[in-house]
Amino acid sequence: MGIYTTDPTLFIKYRVVEGDDTRFFRAEEKKVGDFSFLRIRTRTTVSAVLNRERQETFTLSVKAVARYPSGPKLVAQTTVTVRVLDANDLSPLFYPTSYSVDVPENTPLYSSVITVSASDADIGINGEVYYSFERKTDTFAIHPTSGTVTLTQRLAYMDVERYHLTVLAKDRGPSMGYQARVSKARLQINVKEVNYHAPSIHLQMLPTVVEHGSVGTVYGILNVEDKDIGRNGRIGAVEIVSGNSEGYFRIKQGIQHNEFQIEVAKTLDRETDPLGFNLTISAADLGEPPKSTMRVIHVTLQDTNDQRPLFESDHYEVTVEETVPVQTPLLFVACQ
Ligand SMILES: [Ca+2]
Ligand SMILES: [Ca+2]
Ligand SMILES: [Ca+2]
């Protein structure tokens, strides 16, 4: 680029007047025959370097000034657009740089476990990120472009509780010689035992509860069992969830860890509750998530002779013929 001139005495000088606040560029002139070339070059003295990631294009206004030895000053102006080409000067960066995920051991094959992510501010293939594992594993696979980790082998908590993997992110651009464009992220996969079973409730003893029996009488012993191992097999809350609105019964921990007692908490009266009680017992494990079972237990109260009989009337009177035969009924009385 430049300016044609037929006058060999005309000397043209170029200058960047706008669009270069950081003073990266310098305009130079070089006359070859009838053409005065405009040359834009980077300044050698500037310590900062061009960085496409910071500024991709510069729109420079360049002014040309020519002056005859004696005569008017001639001025022309043009715009030069400088586009900075990308160099693969950045590595992909993971954010975050470490991942941890809990995966239930019964997760189906080929399920997604987690997606890792790295970004590269370069453009084109210089910014295209490829994911891989640093060391080969048969249990997991990572999608090269999406970063999604999937399960390729069944998990078993009994065999492996935790996997420690290193994920690599590389870009596809040429490496700039001195270092490979690769980043690493740590990925920890925690295998979680599955809470397969709900607890089961066995009622061990069921004597009849005598009304007015003493508070604290054990009505029944519950054996609560869970077939899972670890926390999933531990028994949590055992409680009466319905049928006990008056609070006649309560549950107490027995001697064994899985033993619970149903105890009388308040004096019972068969006449108030002639049908007894239907207690709904719930037992939950400490699994994640917890599972629970319900069982209805019927409590019948045994009657005691606590009611005095009462005649219908306080006073009865009957008139009898003196000739009445022996064994003749005179009057019927009744009690409540
Ligand atoms: Ca770059
Ligand atoms: Ca890059
Ligand atoms: Ca369980």
Side-chain angles (χ1 to χ4, degrees):
M1 55 195 168
I3 296 174
Y4 277 108
T5 168
T6 48
D7 185 346
T9 64
L10 195 66
F11 183 70
I12 302 172
K13 207 164 161 47
Y14 297 112
R15 195 156 58 89
V16 178
V17 290
E18 222 177 276
D20 184 25
D21 298 340
T22 40
R23 292 174 55 77
F24 276 126
F25 304 101
R26 203 181 131 89
E28 286 179 348
E29 51 282 317
K30 178 145 180 79
K31 198 160 183 197
V32 179
D34 60 354
F35 198 76
S36 178
F37 282 94
L38 160 62
R39 203 156 65 175
I40 305 268
R41 51 176 290 175
T42 50
R43 284 178 187 272
T44 47
T45 52
V46 175
S47 56
V49 290
L50 287 174
N51 185 347
R52 190 205 61 81
E53 282 77 48
R54 188 167 299 158
Q55 188 169 357
E56 193 164 1
T57 55
F58 293 84
T59 306
L60 308 177
S61 293
V62 181
K63 197 171 179 183
V65 178
R67 197 187 286 274
Y68 285 103
S70 61
K73 189 167 88 172
L74 303 172
V75 173
Q77 194 151 327
T78 192
T79 302
V80 177
T81 303
V82 178
R83 191 160 56 84
V84 182
L85 297 177
D86 187 44
N88 191 19
D89 55 348
L90 295 173
S91 305
L93 285 179
F94 274 106
Y95 187 80
T97 53
S98 79
Y99 298 81
S100 176
V101 65
D102 293 347
V103 181
E105 58 182 341
N106 64 344
T107 301
L109 279 183
Y110 313 117
S111 302
S112 301
V113 169
I114 193 171
T115 298
V116 297
S117 169
S119 61
D120 186 318
D122 293 319
I123 53 166
I125 59 165
N126 293 342
E128 259 176 48
V129 179
Y130 265 30
Y131 300 96
S132 60
F133 288 127
E134 189 176 51
R135 241 169 291 142
K136 190 179 153 28
T137 163
D138 291 332
T139 318
F140 302 97
I142 186 161
H143 192 278
T145 55
S146 72
T148 299
V149 177
T150 49
L151 187 67
T152 52
Q153 213 171 50
R154 291 213 177 276
L155 299 172
Y157 178 84
M158 296 284 272
D159 301 338
V160 184
E161 289 176 31
R162 192 163 291 126
Y163 292 87
H164 296 279
L165 304 169
T166 302
V167 185
L168 305 180
K170 284 182 203 165
D171 64 33
R172 297 185 62 206
S175 83
M176 286 173 71
Y178 48 92
Q179 69 183 109
R181 295 284 164 210
V182 74
S183 309
K184 293 180 183 184
R186 286 196 311 278
L187 170 59
Q188 180 176 305
I189 296 171
N190 310 308
V191 180
K192 288 285 156 196
E193 284 180 290
V194 172
N195 191 8
Y196 291 107
H197 306 281
S200 54
I201 302 171
H202 308 280
L203 185 62
Q204 211 184 50
M205 199 178 76
L206 196 76
T208 313
V209 172
V210 178
E211 61 168 337
H212 305 303
S214 59
V215 168
T217 305
V218 175
Y219 173 73
I221 294 175
L222 300 166
N223 276 297
V224 184
E225 272 159 19
D226 191 299
K227 281 190 265 182
D228 292 310
I229 50 166
R231 193 178 168 81
N232 293 322
R234 296 233 307 276
I235 306 301
V238 175
E239 51 200 7
I240 304 169
V241 290
S242 80
N244 192 35
S245 54
E246 299 295 324
Y248 283 121
F249 301 94
R250 64 179 169 225
I251 290 199
K252 273 179 79 175
Q253 173 78 54
I255 301 150
Q256 307 286 334
H257 76 283
N258 64 337
E259 192 186 281
F260 298 86
Q261 297 173 343
I262 308 176
E263 208 177 77
V264 176
K266 235 162 98 174
T267 305
L268 296 157
D269 188 349
R270 195 199 62 82
E271 281 70 31
T272 316
D273 298 286
L275 301 173
F277 299 89
N278 283 318
L279 303 178
T280 305
I281 313 274
S282 155
D285 61 24
L286 293 174
E288 190 58 54
K291 281 195 164 171
S292 63
T293 311
M294 303 259 202
R295 183 166 169 182
V296 177
I297 291 168
H298 184 73
V299 180
T300 318
L301 300 182
Q302 197 186 57
D303 193 23
T304 54
N305 190 13
D306 60 344
Q307 298 294 317
R308 189 161 62 91
L310 286 177
F311 284 105
E312 280 175 329
S313 175
D314 286 350
H315 178 83
Y316 296 90
E317 201 172 312
V318 62
T319 311
V320 187
E321 296 275 334
E322 61 179 338
T323 55
V324 72
V326 173
Q327 298 288 332
T328 303
L330 298 182
L331 175 72
F332 291 99
V333 296
C335 276
Q336 276 175 345

